[in-house]
């Protein structure tokens, strides 16, 4: 393996620790690895794609967020929405909860499953991700957790896998999300999560730092300020993200590169964190070929090496091993490994995430409190 990956920190200052620490702040018997102080109410504002490095680079566009004292967390591998939201929703590392990538093989089925769209084949969310969520544990302890987000996400497979136990409150616009979040926070011992996804969507299309992305960042900053101004007494607001982003100026078409198709049964993951599933008996050949083509641009490791190196956390459940590619290719330059036929929209993106660079892994944890 080429040296230098930022192996995600699990069990220290990571997204997988945040959800349990928030419950501990509310008085539940949960690990408080982040040492969050007690609060009567908590609010978690998740901004999709708000990397800590990105925020620092454009502090002038987000003056409210930039002025808040905070710290940096590690997203986990891969640095992608499904993995991070499940880490936040369960308090577990990816190897425990099993959502170890965007497109994963279904063991024994010979097919890929899209964990974000919940497409590819019929999969029961409770079987794909059977661990209890922090929201279910909160409900058992007498706290009614609330999730505020666009109504279209209610009842989806991803929501059922990640947010089981919440009372879902649909809200489309920024105004609606702010108003409904603050209304829910007025309840005693409230625990509210609010989600905003347009920053990430814009970054994919036009790149982080683009004028369009900066406009979205300004919206996020104003939304955070409005939430902070409306907090009732005894409330702690936390702003975080699921991952950061890089802009790709180098794209490699895996489908048009013969060395990268030979012996490959399925190409999963995403452009910055590829799970490569080999045909029977071809894993070593695929490993060698991908390593040679991507030398100097990506870390290329076997499934065993990724697991033993702790990429997915200290432990990977045996049942989940077949979900991981025989070979994993993770760019550390500004490279995106695209597949235009299988994933035409992704191939056109400017912004990508998934790898272990600081720009993708580091996310902020900012706090405003009325304790």
């Amino acid at each position: 393996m080429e040296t230098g990956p930022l192996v995600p920190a699990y069990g220290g200052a990571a997204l997988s620790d945040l959800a349990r620490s928030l419950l501990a702040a509310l008085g539940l018997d949960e690990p408080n690895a982040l040492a969050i102080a007690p609060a009567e109410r908590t609010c978690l504002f998740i901004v999709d794609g708000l990397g800590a490095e990105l925020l620092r680079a454009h502090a002038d566009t987000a003056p409210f967020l930039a002025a808040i004292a905070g710290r940096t967390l590690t997203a986990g591998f891969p640095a992608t929405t499904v993995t991070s939201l499940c880490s936040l929703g369960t308090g577990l590392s990816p190897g425990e909860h099993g959502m170890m990538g965007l497109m994963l093989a279904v063991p024994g089925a010979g097919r890929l499953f899209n964990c974000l769209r919940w497409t590819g084949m019929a999969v029961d969310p409770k079987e794909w991700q059977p661990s209890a969520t922090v929201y279910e544990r909160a409900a058992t302890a007498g706290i009614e957790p609330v999730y505020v987000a666009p109504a279209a996400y209610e009842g989806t497979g991803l929501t059922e896998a990640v947010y089981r136990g919440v009372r879902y409150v649909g809200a489309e616009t920024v105004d609606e999300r702010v108003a409904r979040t603050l209304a829910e926070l007025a309840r005693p011992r409230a625990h509210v999560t609010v989600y905003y996804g347009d920053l990430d969507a814009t970054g994919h299309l036009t790149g982080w730092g683009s004028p369009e992305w900066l406009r979205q960042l300004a919206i996020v900053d104003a939304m955070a300020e409005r939430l902070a101004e409306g907090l009732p007494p005894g409330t702690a607001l936390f702003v975080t993200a699921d991952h950061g982003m890089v802009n790709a100026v180098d794209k490699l078409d895996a489908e048009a590169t013969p060395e990268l198709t030979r012996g490959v049964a399925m190409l999963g993951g995403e452009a910055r964190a590829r799970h490569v599933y080999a045909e029977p008996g071809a894993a070593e050949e695929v490993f060698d070929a991908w390593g040679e083509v991507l030398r100097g641009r990506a870390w290329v490791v076997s499934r065993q090496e990724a697991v033993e190196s702790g990429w997915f956390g200290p432990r990977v459940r045996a049942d989940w091993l077949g979900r991981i590619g025989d070979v994993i290719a993770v760019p550390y330059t500004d490279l995106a490994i695209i597949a235009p036929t299988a994933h035409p929209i992704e191939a056109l993106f400017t912004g990508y995430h998934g790898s272990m660079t600081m720009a993708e892994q580091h996310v902020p944890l900012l706090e405003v409190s009325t304790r």
Side-chain angles (χ1 to χ4, degrees):
M1 182 178 78
E2 299 201 43
T3 59
L6 175 70
V7 177
Y10 301 101
L15 280 178
S16 52
D17 300 298
L18 177 55
R20 288 187 169 191
S21 294
L22 289 176
L23 293 190
L26 288 168
L28 275 67
D29 184 18
E30 294 276 351
N32 192 357
L34 300 182
I36 292 177
E40 295 177 30
R41 304 170 179 84
T42 57
C43 179
L44 180 63
F45 180 20
I46 302 173
V47 183
D48 201 319
L50 183 65
E53 308 291 323
L54 282 55
L55 178 58
R56 277 193 285 270
H58 292 287
D60 56 335
T61 304
F64 177 76
L65 291 174
I68 300 174
R71 45 185 156 168
T72 299
L73 304 181
T74 304
F77 179 76
T80 196
T81 299
V82 295
T83 303
S84 293
L85 292 187
C86 202
S87 295
L88 279 168
T90 61
L92 301 173
S93 60
E96 293 276 7
H97 61 61
M99 301 274 273
M100 297 175 289
L102 173 62
M103 298 281 293
L104 297 176
V106 179
R111 296 177 64 177
L112 289 172
F113 177 65
N114 187 314
C115 299
L116 181 65
R117 306 296 179 190
W118 220 259
T119 57
M121 60 183 298
V123 173
D124 184 340
K126 292 183 180 180
E127 293 182 2
W128 188 257
Q129 195 301 98
S131 297
T133 69
V134 293
Y135 309 107
E136 289 176 309
R137 299 202 291 275
T140 299
I143 295 173
E144 182 186 47
V146 172
Y147 182 66
V148 181
Y153 301 147
E154 184 173 6
T156 66
L158 178 61
T159 297
E160 291 302 307
V162 170
Y163 293 113
R164 282 196 301 271
V166 301
R167 175 165 56 83
Y168 199 105
V169 175
E172 308 306 319
T173 67
V174 169
D175 288 346
E176 289 175 346
R177 270 174 258 189
V178 170
R180 290 174 189 176
T181 297
L182 294 178
E184 295 296 338
L185 284 172
R187 296 181 299 109
R189 216 179 176 199
H191 181 42
V192 182
T193 300
V194 55
Y195 172 82
Y196 187 81
D198 290 355
L199 183 73
D200 177 70
T202 302
H204 281 306
L205 295 176
T206 64
W208 79 271
S210 66
E212 296 86 352
W213 186 89
L214 290 172
R215 283 194 288 273
Q216 283 296 322
L217 180 59
I219 291 172
V220 167
D221 192 64
M223 185 173 172
E225 185 171 16
R226 291 173 62 189
L227 287 170
E229 289 174 345
L231 295 178
T235 304
L237 165 68
F238 296 90
V239 183
T240 194
D242 50 352
H243 55 73
M245 184 172 284
V246 299
N247 292 338
V249 297
D250 180 17
K251 292 186 178 182
L252 175 63
D253 185 343
E255 295 173 330
T257 306
E259 298 91 337
L260 300 186
T261 60
R262 196 172 299 122
V264 174
M266 299 183 295
L267 184 61
E270 55 195 291
R272 296 279 296 176
R274 283 294 179 197
H275 285 264
V276 187
Y277 303 93
E279 295 173 351
E284 186 174 349
E285 175 190 0
V286 170
F287 174 79
D288 290 341
W290 278 70
E292 181 61 31
V293 170
L294 293 172
R295 189 179 307 278
R297 293 193 284 176
W299 298 295
V300 178
V301 302
S302 67
R303 174 193 294 134
Q304 181 178 354
E305 187 170 3
V307 170
E308 291 180 351
S309 298
W311 283 20
F312 300 104
R315 175 178 176 265
V316 176
R317 286 180 52 168
D319 291 345
W320 304 159
L321 288 171
R323 299 180 182 184
I324 303 172
D326 295 281
V327 176
I328 304 173
V330 183
Y332 53 79
T333 62
D334 53 9
L335 169 69
I337 305 169
I338 61 172
T341 301
H343 309 292
I345 297 176
E346 181 194 47
L348 298 175
F349 285 169
T350 298
Y352 294 88
H353 51 79
S355 182
M356 289 186 285
T357 69
M358 289 189 293
E360 292 156 280
Q361 280 290 328
H362 285 175
V363 297
L365 180 61
L366 311 175
E367 179 181 355
V368 177
S369 176
T370 58
R371 292 187 186 93

